[in-house]
Amino acid sequence: MSSLSRELVFLILQFLEEEKFKESVHKLEKESGFFFNMKYFEEKVQAGEWDEVEKYLSGFTKVDDNRYSMKIFFEIRKQKYLEALDRQDKAKAVEILVTDLRVFSTFNEDLYKEITQLLTLGNFRENEQLSKYGDTKTARSIMLLELKKLIEANPLFRDKLVFPTLKSSRLRTLINQSLNWQHQLCKNPRPNPDIKTLFTDHTCAPSNGALGATPVNLPVAAVAKPAAFTSLGTHGPFPPAAAAANASALAGWMANAAASSTVQASVVTASSMPMPPNQVSILKRPITPPATLGMVDYQNLEQEQLMKRLRLAQNVEEVTYPASRQQVSWSLDDLPRMVAFTMQQGSTVTSMDFHPSHHTLLLVGSGNGDITLWEVALRERLVTKQFKIWDMTACSLPFQASIAKDAPIPVSRVAWSPDGNVIGAAFTKHLIHLYAYTGSNDLRQQLEIDAHVGCVNDIAFAHPNKQLCVVTCGEDKLIKVWDMNGRKLFNFEGHEAPVYSICPHHKENIQFIFSTAIDGKIKAWLYDNIGSRVDYDAPGQWCTTMLYSADGSRLFSCGTSKDGDSFLVEWNESEGAIKRTYNGFRKKSTGVVQFDTTQNHFLAAGEDNQIKFWDMDNVNVLASIDADGGLPSVPRLRFNKEGNLLAVTTADNGFKILATAAGLRSLRAIETPSFEALRTPVESAALKVAGTSATAANISPNEPKVERSSPIKPSSILNGVDTAARSTEKPRSLEDVTDRSKPWQLAEIVEPGQCRHVTMSDNSDSSSKVSRLLYTNSGVGILALGSNGVQKLWKWFRNEQNPSGKATCNVVPQHWQPNSGLLMTNDVSGVNPEEAVPCIALSKNDSYVMSACGGKVSLFNMMTFKVMTTFMSPPPASTFLAFHPQDNNIIAIGMEDSTIHIYNVRVDEVKSKLKGHQKRVTGLAFSTSLNILVSSGADAQLCVWSIDTWEKRKSVSIQMPAGKAPIGDTRVQFHFDQIRLLVFHETQLATYDASKMERIRQWIPQDGLSASISYAAYSCNSQLIYASFCDGNIGVFDADSLRLRCRIAPSAYLSQAALNGSQPPYPVVVASHPQESNQLAVGLTDGSVKVIEPPESEGKWGVSPPAENGILITRTASSSTTSNHTPDQIQR
């Protein structure tokens, strides 16, 4: 069913409700399955009408659809059974047991037996678990709370729990508009026509004289005659209601769209309003010629079609649509409302931005021109760059004349590049500064640009043509695009007032920019110098900022009018209308309200000395807090990417960090656990780990004001009652975060129910082990290279069970192949599989994969699986592959003969041959921060090479444990900071400071993890290290301390049959998800791949061991000791 037909059902539901057809309303709700009426459901549950309850539910889910549905039906039938027992109606109870409850016995036989035994009791309350069962009414109310949580968490009810916001009698209004349109087209329109039927089109009978068209009058809210109407096809879908349009709007659309459009022609013909002959020409803006030919002009039909969908009408009356977001169970605890601490900047904070990946790294711009980098987890100011002009001679004469000598210029905006490697700062006069962030405590000056005349109001980064660029806007009414060498690529003219903000974005691989000016105009631009594609008014018609949700699917804007009225709205891009306007701004603002989005679910804005939060799908304020006071009237604020930290400015030249419970853990343990986007445990998790050993100093719970209309449930802590006994989600309180008295305990994952895992296997060749394993950079697929030279790709796809489309254990992925049926098979002619060393590397954009398995290196197209080229014929054979981080045409290739070849694919030429190892090369890792390549070999040597000259800088031997020979593969991987280096060998894990090549820590297999190490890898945020062992165990280590925090036994993820086999499989290789820090994948000796995640109730692998001496439980836990910074000593 089309979306418009779906909306028609909602209109009919509204009509039936208004006309009091109660039974018909609920029948249509059930039969269509579009809207689950929770109020009706509650009424039937409270009345004990169980047959109607299940009948209504059946329109949306069945018992065996998923575990949520099963739990819902079980709770209902259990209650019905208990009520029969309570009435002493044993016959009815037996009927319910046999007819309704038996279906659950196949899933939990013991529970079914226990329920059956209740028949033998005189009063079922004699059962200990049911001893607190009260009267029927109370029991139903308690069960109803449980059912509502399960329904909200059930993906089958997504988008079905909220009825769209509609104006009253919307269907009548649309009919009214249709009749007006029909009357408009009458050849002989009569005044006050008599409408007697809706079954046929309206026409007026001929009269003696022609009369002017008049609106049709119906009993309900007759609508004034529109000036133009959308053309209607005979068999077309239900057209959207035409908004009143004026000549300027029509001219604007005609000026931007194709002149030959038949729809436009019909619109103009139908309109009785005259069109000024110069209207189109007035709207045309002068086009500035491109400043450079270096950027390819990629304007095409696909872009034009996209921009047509992005065009927004000038009439921005509110239009509401059904919510399309996942309706999940959220809590106030998911909002960062606890004040962790306050920091002093020393000057007014004018802008803030969190690092895109390192979620506790905060960039701050100040009124005195300073740019400061804070590590908020350490409360440490890492580096401050005071304002100065780098090269006055390169600045324009107007700027030189306007600037006082050595006078600081305030920062207007700071921003990180998407990869976190570049910092941009815009100033209130002319300049922008770009700094290179190397991961250390320093910022390197990269570029200074005299960008605009007057104030540079905003700065952002974009990737037109897959090239990192800087976008700026300013007081001179211009938007400019610069490459990273300072060359101006585009100069967008068209605004008639200073440009206030910019919002670069992309959809369907098309890059564009939204811009707002202080006259309230919003425009959209492609990178083509043709001019603005969109011209419409923002609410308030003054200063407005636009932001997309984190997943890029929803567009919001927030602004303030000159009179101090503030507006926060969501836009419908395809319709060009405001989708919803959020309520809650209660005072005239003294400044421009700032806002931010997080978690694809929440909005926050600073106003009235407070922070106000909204659920994206509800227009009413969710909560408001004052963060313990001290906020300015219009505080600036910024979420980190995880959404568990919120930075907000203070009135005394500082900022506060607010946090969720997860955020507090990241601050105290200097780690970033994945945000629990959906906590869904119907059963309690088997894994139980005590809280961290952090302290609760300076943490304020910050009591929020919860609006009555909020869909979010209040925190159990705020209500003062611990409802954990009946809650379906893990309680999250300050005690979970800060209880120091509890002993630390190693998390032992030994049962399948203690973790989530999904298996990808191919039974065609179980003798081929998985030798190499990679996630795609997008996180939606896994690529496995077998010892037979065949590469396999598994993909996850977006659906109801997996709305993100990312790799997950909740959905089995598809073994993907192109329609041609091709396999990605490497050259293995004349190769002994036992001696071959498989190797693989993936391009950054997931377009190409390069691999070898003892033969030639093959470059495959990931879409077609076709071999693009082959090179480097053996001997010697290739043993390791790595793309150069800054040039995908340059590949470092480790060889069997101990050399490293620097190969240029474009010219098919080896540029350099590096010699330094004594045995084959087994690992390569680039550091852009240190500008080095580190190689490892089967000789237990680490070599450091300069990327610029390819000269060897240093060579060190890894320290072998006593009695171990320096043989076997050694591999390397850089930490996220590009300074620390993970080195692993079958005998050890070690971390090094690559700037000095000095070892920091070392861990040696022992006790519970005593087998040889088969592989290791950093998690995506470098907070964890995953290590696999040849006995099937997997260890999860704290990356900084190399202390073991979790052990995953083979019994947790392997079948009993596999464990009982003559040669139980074990992991050969480990890979970590590129975005989810607690997800890992392992490739096994039996050819299968397993993705493993912690339970959703936990969200992470145990907790960090205490840094200080604490109470350690289990012998394995105490064995997880590491070396200190002295390389020659290993602690036992």
Side-chain angles (χ1 to χ4, degrees):
M1 182 177 288
S2 71
S3 61
L4 289 176
S5 298
R6 187 175 187 271
E7 291 183 8
L8 179 60
V9 172
F10 281 109
L11 295 176
I12 295 171
L13 284 172
Q14 184 197 41
F15 173 79
L16 293 174
E17 180 71 28
E18 291 174 342
E19 298 297 318
K20 310 300 182 184
F21 295 112
K22 296 295 185 182
E23 291 187 12
S24 299
V25 169
H26 302 310
K27 284 182 179 179
L28 181 56
E29 289 168 352
K30 170 183 159 308
E31 290 180 9
S32 68
F34 289 161
F35 174 64
F36 184 83
N37 191 323
M38 188 69 80
K39 182 179 179 181
Y40 174 73
F41 179 73
E42 290 177 13
E43 291 174 355
K44 295 303 176 183
V45 170
Q46 292 285 16
E49 299 179 24
W50 304 119
D51 290 343
E52 177 58 25
V53 167
E54 289 209 22
K55 184 178 178 182
Y56 188 69
L57 273 173
S58 67
F60 302 87
T61 185
K62 301 294 185 291
V63 175
D64 57 354
D65 279 344
N66 57 41
R67 55 179 177 166
Y68 303 100
S69 300
M70 186 178 296
K71 179 72 170 173
I72 291 168
F73 280 96
F74 175 75
E75 290 293 332
I76 292 170
R77 295 176 184 182
K78 182 184 73 173
Q79 180 64 27
K80 182 166 61 168
Y81 175 66
L82 293 177
E83 289 184 15
L85 289 176
D86 208 22
R87 296 193 306 268
Q88 300 299 317
D89 189 349
K90 293 292 180 75
K92 183 64 175 177
V94 171
E95 178 188 340
I96 296 169
L97 185 68
V98 173
T99 306
D100 296 335
L101 289 172
R102 179 175 291 278
V103 66
F104 303 106
S105 64
T106 57
F107 302 98
N108 194 329
E109 183 67 29
D110 293 336
L111 179 61
Y112 184 72
K113 290 179 181 178
E114 187 176 352
I115 291 174
T116 304
Q117 289 172 0
L118 296 178
L119 287 167
T120 64
L121 302 177
N123 186 338
F124 63 80
R125 293 173 181 82
E126 297 172 20
N127 182 290
E128 183 179 355
Q129 295 183 39
L130 296 172
S131 60
K132 295 183 179 180
Y133 184 95
D135 60 276
T136 298
K137 183 177 180 181
T138 302
R140 288 175 180 173
S141 297
I142 293 173
M143 180 195 65
L144 194 55
L145 294 174
E146 187 90 358
L147 293 178
K148 289 173 71 175
K149 293 175 183 176
L150 290 166
I151 290 170
E152 289 170 358
N154 195 329
L156 294 177
F157 288 83
R158 187 178 304 133
D159 301 336
K160 297 178 182 180
L161 299 178
V162 179
F163 197 86
T165 305
L166 302 173
K167 293 181 179 179
S168 61
S169 304
R170 179 61 180 162
L171 186 59
R172 288 180 179 272
T173 300
L174 290 175
I175 294 172
N176 207 7
Q177 291 174 342
S178 173
L179 293 172
N180 272 317
W181 175 74
Q182 295 173 31
H183 187 57
Q184 172 82 4
L185 299 181
C186 284
K187 294 182 179 179
N188 303 291
R190 285 174 166 271
N192 302 316
D194 184 18
I195 307 296
K196 294 183 178 180
T197 182
L198 298 177
F199 293 163
T200 59
D201 286 349
H202 160 72
T203 56
C204 293
S207 63
N208 295 332
L211 299 173
T214 57
V216 178
N217 294 316
L218 285 183
V220 181
V223 179
K225 179 184 69 178
F229 298 91
T230 309
S231 61
L232 300 178
T234 306
H235 304 290
F238 294 98
N246 56 30
S248 298
L250 290 175
W253 279 72
M254 289 195 64
N256 287 320
S260 60
S261 169
T262 57
V263 174
Q264 289 169 342
S266 65
V267 169
V268 176
T269 303
S271 175
S272 59
M273 299 181 67
M275 177 74 72
N278 63 342
Q279 185 68 57
V280 174
S281 61
I282 291 173
L283 289 172
K284 292 181 179 178
R285 305 296 183 195
I287 299 174
T288 304
T292 175
L293 298 178
M295 180 75 78
V296 178
D297 183 1
Y298 57 106
Q299 171 72 9
N300 54 38
L301 181 61
E302 182 183 9
Q303 284 180 312
E304 187 61 32
Q305 293 302 316
L306 174 66
M307 294 310 296
K308 283 180 181 179
R309 294 201 299 275
L310 286 175
R311 289 190 188 115
L312 305 179
Q314 288 183 314
N315 187 319
V316 290
E317 292 181 358
E318 181 171 349
V319 179
T320 54
Y321 297 84
S324 60
R325 307 300 299 172
Q326 179 180 358
Q327 300 293 333
V328 297
S329 178
W330 297 90
S331 160
L332 283 174
D333 290 333
D334 297 315
L335 296 173
R337 59 187 179 83
M338 293 177 283
V339 178
F341 48 80
T342 302
M343 304 301 295
Q344 285 300 316
Q345 176 68 17
S347 179
T348 304
V349 175
T350 57
S351 181
M352 300 178 292
D353 197 19
F354 276 100
H355 192 280
S357 301
H358 185 31
H359 304 313
T360 58
L361 197 62
L362 179 65
L363 179 64
V364 176
S366 306
N368 63 356
D370 286 358
I371 299 164
T372 304
L373 200 56
W374 291 86
E375 173 50 80
V376 295
L378 302 175
R379 307 190 198 183
E380 181 180 345
R381 192 190 303 249
L382 299 180
V383 61
T384 294
K385 292 292 184 181
Q386 296 181 341
F387 174 78
K388 66 176 182 179
I389 300 170
W390 299 349
D391 185 1
M392 180 64 83
T393 61
C395 297
S396 64
L397 292 176
F399 175 64
Q400 294 183 38
S402 67
I403 187 71
K405 186 177 182 181
D406 298 328
I409 301 177
V411 175
S412 57
R413 180 82 161 86
V414 292
W416 287 97
S417 64
D419 58 9
N421 292 331
V422 181
I423 285 172
F427 296 90
T428 57
K429 286 189 179 180
H430 288 248
L431 295 182
I432 65 168
H433 282 172
L434 300 183
Y435 291 89
Y437 174 63
T438 61
S440 60
N441 296 352
D442 195 18
L443 301 175
R444 292 206 304 252
Q445 293 182 7
Q446 182 167 325
L447 191 61
E448 179 180 65
I449 304 175
D450 187 344
H452 293 270
V453 177
C455 179
V456 184
N457 288 324
D458 203 358
I459 184 171
F461 291 89
H463 279 92
N465 276 2
K466 300 179 181 178
Q467 172 187 352
L468 181 63
C469 294
V470 181
V471 186
T472 61
C473 67
E475 199 174 0
D476 55 6
K477 309 175 186 177
L478 300 176
I479 299 118
K480 299 181 182 182
V481 182
W482 315 82
D483 69 13
M484 299 309 291
N485 295 315
R487 183 177 56 165
K488 184 167 65 177
L489 303 175
F490 297 99
N491 191 69
F492 298 133
E493 299 180 8
H495 276 293
E496 297 178 349
V499 185
Y500 179 74
S501 73
I502 44 178
C503 179
H505 195 59
H506 65 89
K507 280 189 179 294
E508 302 173 17
N509 297 320
I510 306 303
Q511 302 278 342
F512 55 92
I513 303 168
F514 275 119
S515 62
T516 70
I518 65 171
D519 59 358
K521 292 295 183 183
I522 300 177
K523 295 180 182 288
W525 317 79
L526 290 172
Y527 295 86
D528 56 10
N529 283 305
I530 292 180
S532 169
R533 301 308 208 281
V534 164
D535 188 351
Y536 64 102
D537 293 328
Q541 299 188 356
W542 197 42
C543 297
T544 296
T545 305
M546 306 186 81
L547 287 177
Y548 276 90
S549 58
D551 61 7
S553 64
R554 304 175 73 172
L555 177 63
F556 303 89
S557 73
C558 182
T560 304
S561 71
K562 291 181 179 179
D563 296 329
D565 296 319
S566 296
F567 302 87
L568 177 61
V569 303
E570 180 178 4
W571 291 93
N572 183 299
E573 295 172 273
S574 60
E575 297 293 339
I578 292 177
K579 188 172 182 178
R580 55 172 60 87
T581 299
Y582 297 91
N583 305 321
F585 295 108
R586 298 174 181 171
K587 286 191 174 183
K588 295 286 185 180
S589 176
T590 57
V592 180
V593 170
Q594 307 293 314
F595 85 116
D596 201 3
T597 73
T598 188
Q599 303 171 23
N600 298 314
H601 195 84
F602 297 118
L603 299 166
E607 186 243 7
D608 192 21
N609 307 96
Q610 293 180 323
I611 305 162
K612 298 181 178 180
F613 298 96
W614 289 264
D615 183 311
M616 288 182 177
D617 297 321
N618 191 284
V619 298
N620 296 312
V621 173
L622 182 61
S624 58
I625 59 175
D626 65 0
D628 292 345
L631 303 185
S633 59
V634 184
R636 298 178 182 273
L637 48 82
R638 193 71 172 175
F639 287 103
N640 70 347
K641 188 175 181 181
E642 292 275 313
N644 56 24
L645 298 180
L646 175 65
V648 57
T649 57
T650 62
D652 58 352
N653 298 338
F655 60 90
K656 295 186 179 188
I657 298 296
L658 280 63
T660 63
L664 288 172
R665 287 193 290 269
S666 72
L667 294 174
R668 302 307 184 212
I670 317 182
E671 66 180 7
T672 310
S674 294
F675 177 72
E676 299 167 306
L678 180 63
R679 290 180 296 282
T680 59
V682 177
E683 307 83 24
S684 61
L687 173 61
K688 291 182 173 63
V689 182
T692 65
S693 59
T695 60
N698 301 324
I699 298 175
S700 166
N702 226 329
E703 192 86 15
K705 291 176 280 187
V706 185
E707 305 298 325
R708 291 185 179 274
S709 58
S710 166
I712 217 163
K713 58 183 177 297
S715 162
S716 59
I717 299 169
L718 293 175
N719 289 335
V721 179
D722 182 6
T723 60
R726 299 204 58 81
S727 175
T728 61
E729 71 175 45
K730 178 190 173 190
R732 302 199 304 156
S733 67
L734 288 178
E735 184 179 359
D736 294 335
V737 184
T738 62
D739 190 348
R740 191 185 185 93
S741 63
K742 295 180 181 179
W744 176 83
Q745 183 175 355
L746 175 73
E748 296 269 14
I749 312 296
V750 295
E751 300 292 338
Q754 290 179 285
C755 67
R756 295 175 292 151
H757 57 88
V758 64
T759 303
M760 291 150 279
S761 61
D762 186 350
N763 298 325
S764 60
D765 188 3
S766 60
S767 63
S768 173
K769 65 182 180 182
V770 177
S771 297
R772 298 291 175 262
L773 192 66
L774 294 173
Y775 276 94
T776 60
N777 294 297
S778 60
V780 301
I782 284 182
L783 191 63
L785 173 58
S787 57
N788 60 357
V790 177
Q791 290 170 146
K792 297 170 185 174
L793 176 64
W794 285 272
K795 281 187 177 182
W796 282 260
F797 294 93
R798 194 186 302 270
N799 52 41
E800 284 193 358
Q801 289 74 35
N802 186 24
S804 72
K806 301 286 187 181
T808 175
C809 291
N810 298 331
V811 177
V812 178
Q814 174 186 337
H815 182 197
W816 192 87
Q817 283 182 268
N819 294 331
S820 63
L822 279 177
L823 293 174
M824 285 191 284
T825 305
N826 280 282
D827 168 36
V828 291
S829 55
V831 175
N832 182 351
E834 297 297 324
E835 297 178 357
V837 181
C839 48
I840 188 172
L842 184 64
S843 65
K844 292 179 182 178
N845 58 5
D846 293 335
S847 296
Y848 302 98
V849 63
M850 173 178 59
S851 60
C853 197
K856 298 176 182 178
V857 178
S858 300
L859 186 67
F860 295 91
N861 184 304
M862 284 281 283
M863 291 300 296
T864 64
F865 286 10
K866 291 181 179 179
V867 177
M868 309 302 292
T869 186
T870 59
F871 49 91
M872 304 300 290
S873 300
S878 304
T879 56
F880 203 92
L881 303 170
F883 281 101
H884 191 289
Q886 296 165 334
D887 188 348
N888 271 342
N889 292 304
I890 304 297
I891 303 166
I893 307 175
M895 309 299 289
E896 181 71 33
D897 67 354
S898 76
T899 62
I900 302 168
H901 290 189
I902 306 301
Y903 178 76
N904 189 312
V905 179
R906 188 191 297 116
V907 298
D908 190 21
E909 181 182 346
V910 175
K911 293 294 187 180
S912 298
K913 186 180 292 186
L914 316 183
K915 297 180 180 180
H917 289 280
Q918 304 304 314
K919 295 183 180 180
R920 72 170 179 264
V921 177
T922 56
L924 296 168
F926 283 95
S927 169
T928 53
S929 173
L930 300 176
N931 216 32
I932 59 173
L933 168 67
V934 176
S935 61
S936 60
D939 54 1
Q941 292 283 317
L942 304 175
C943 294
V944 182
W945 313 85
S946 167
I947 292 179
D948 296 328
T949 63
W950 300 116
E951 294 178 352
K952 186 166 74 170
R953 291 184 181 178
K954 197 169 187 178
S955 179
V956 298
S957 299
I958 67 169
Q959 182 181 343
M960 304 300 294
K964 299 291 185 179
I967 58 174
D969 292 352
T970 305
R971 301 190 186 279
V972 288
Q973 182 189 358
F974 268 104
H975 186 280
F976 171 80
D977 65 11
Q978 294 278 288
I979 303 294
R980 284 171 281 180
L981 181 73
L982 171 64
V983 179
F984 58 94
H985 182 266
E986 64 183 35
T987 64
Q988 63 184 278
L989 300 174
T991 54
Y992 282 73
D993 180 346
S995 64
K996 306 172 185 176
M997 284 313 293
E998 292 180 357
R999 198 186 73 200
I1000 302 171
R1001 299 190 185 277
Q1002 183 186 51
W1003 182 89
I1004 295 172
Q1006 55 202 277
D1007 294 348
L1009 295 177
S1010 57
S1012 296
I1013 298 169
S1014 58
Y1015 210 87
Y1018 274 121
S1019 63
C1020 62
N1021 60 4
S1022 296
Q1023 303 296 330
L1024 304 175
I1025 293 174
Y1026 299 113
S1028 59
F1029 295 80
C1030 293
D1031 61 358
N1033 278 296
I1034 301 169
V1036 183
F1037 294 81
D1038 184 271
D1040 289 334
S1041 65
L1042 278 190
R1043 291 175 181 267
L1044 182 66
R1045 59 188 285 166
C1046 179
R1047 180 180 73 91
I1048 306 171
S1051 57
Y1053 65 91
L1054 293 177
S1055 67
Q1056 200 60 44
L1059 292 170
N1060 295 336
S1062 58
Q1063 291 183 324
Y1066 66 85
V1068 179
V1069 61
V1070 175
S1072 57
H1073 191 282
Q1075 288 102 35
E1076 295 294 334
S1077 59
N1078 286 286
Q1079 184 184 126
L1080 68 145
V1082 291
L1084 304 176
T1085 52
D1086 64 357
S1088 66
V1089 175
K1090 292 183 181 286
V1091 174
I1092 308 174
E1093 293 182 279
E1096 289 177 319
S1097 59
E1098 296 293 334
K1100 62 178 183 176
W1101 300 109
V1103 295
S1104 295
E1108 69 280 1
N1109 292 330
I1111 306 171
L1112 298 180
I1113 297 178
T1114 79
R1115 184 167 180 265
T1116 307
S1118 63
S1119 71
S1120 304
T1121 54
T1122 63
S1123 76
N1124 58 17
H1125 288 263
T1126 306
D1128 299 328
Q1129 182 182 0
I1130 300 175
Q1131 293 181 353
R1132 290 292 183 182

